[in-house]
Each structure stands twice: as structure tokens, then as C-alpha cells.
Amino acid sequence: MPLSEHEQRMLEQMERALYAEDPKFASALEGNGLRTYTRRRVYQAVAGFLAGIALLMAGMVAQLIWVSVVGFLVMLGCAVLAVTGWRKAPKPGEQPPGGPRRQARPKRSMMDRIEQRWQRRRDEQGH
């Protein structure tokens, strides 16, 4: 659902306020940290998938069913991780929805300030 013009203006105002208030934090949110993280996660999942194939084949050669089952489960889990990681990866030029997890605390206080300002503006306008 697209944002209305008023909501877009408000979002732009909040972005400008964020840059004015804490430019270092704003530039950290803009970075490619999430994209790098998801790309790394997908690569690890692919490596795990290949290890699962190796386990599956080793179990078949050694005629140990449980090793083959473990290999299949590893393959399945890694395939799920790769697909979910790939879907969550932002497109080039697209802003990620949030920063890395270690920045969650400053973001929360910043969001509280934004919400307070938003409420103040609504109260001043009489809504």
C-alpha cells in the first residue's frame, strides 16, 4: 500500500530531522550492512548444502541410513536458510528496513523522540 502525499512529507521530515540530529547514526542505517550479512548467510547456506550432499553420498556409500538422513536434513535446512536469506536481502540502492541488531537501543530512543514529536504536532493541529 503506497504512502499518501502527507505521509511521504512526514517521512521526509523525519529523515531530515534524523540527519540533523544524528548524522552518524543515519549514515549507519543507510549502509550496506544488512545486504552484506544476508549475502554471507546465503553463501554459508550454500556451503552447508554442499556438505549435506557429501553426507548423503557418504551415507549411501557406507550403507548407513542415518548418515544419509542427517545429510538430507542438513541440505533441507540450508536450502530454507538460503531462500529466506535471499528474499530478505535488499535490492541494490534500496534502503534496508533497519540497522544491525547492535544499534537497536539507540534506534528505539530515536523512535520514541519521533513518536513524541509526531504526537505533539497532531495535538497542535487539533487532531
Side-chain angles (χ1 to χ4, degrees):
M1 176 179 210
L3 297 175
S4 69
E5 290 180 29
H6 176 70
E7 291 170 333
Q8 288 176 351
R9 282 192 307 256
M10 294 304 295
L11 182 61
E12 289 171 4
Q13 285 179 350
M14 286 188 268
E15 287 174 355
R16 283 194 299 270
L18 174 63
Y19 277 105
E21 201 169 293
D22 196 353
K24 186 177 178 182
F25 179 67
S27 64
L29 288 178
E30 213 174 56
N32 296 332
L34 182 64
R35 189 174 348 161
T36 303
Y37 168 75
T38 54
R39 188 180 304 141
R40 186 179 315 131
R41 182 176 167 191
V42 168
Y43 290 151
Q44 289 171 346
V46 168
F49 187 84
L50 294 174
I53 290 175
L55 279 173
L56 181 72
M57 297 302 285
M60 289 173 61
V61 169
Q63 295 182 350
L64 295 172
I65 302 283
W66 67 272
V67 174
S68 295
V69 170
V70 168
F72 176 76
L73 292 175
V74 168
M75 289 171 48
L76 183 65
C78 289
V80 168
L81 282 176
V83 170
T84 58
W86 194 262
R87 286 184 183 167
K88 290 180 184 177
K91 307 288 185 274
E94 179 180 304
Q95 276 192 337
R101 290 179 189 233
R102 67 179 180 271
Q103 294 178 349
R105 189 173 300 148
K107 183 177 179 184
R108 185 177 304 137
S109 63
M110 185 234 4
M111 288 305 293
D112 289 340
R113 289 192 307 258
I114 290 173
E115 287 177 11
Q116 288 172 353
R117 288 180 189 165
W118 177 265
Q119 193 64 33
R120 225 178 305 133
R121 287 180 185 153
R122 289 191 67 176
D123 292 341
E124 288 172 359
Q125 293 176 353
H127 286 119

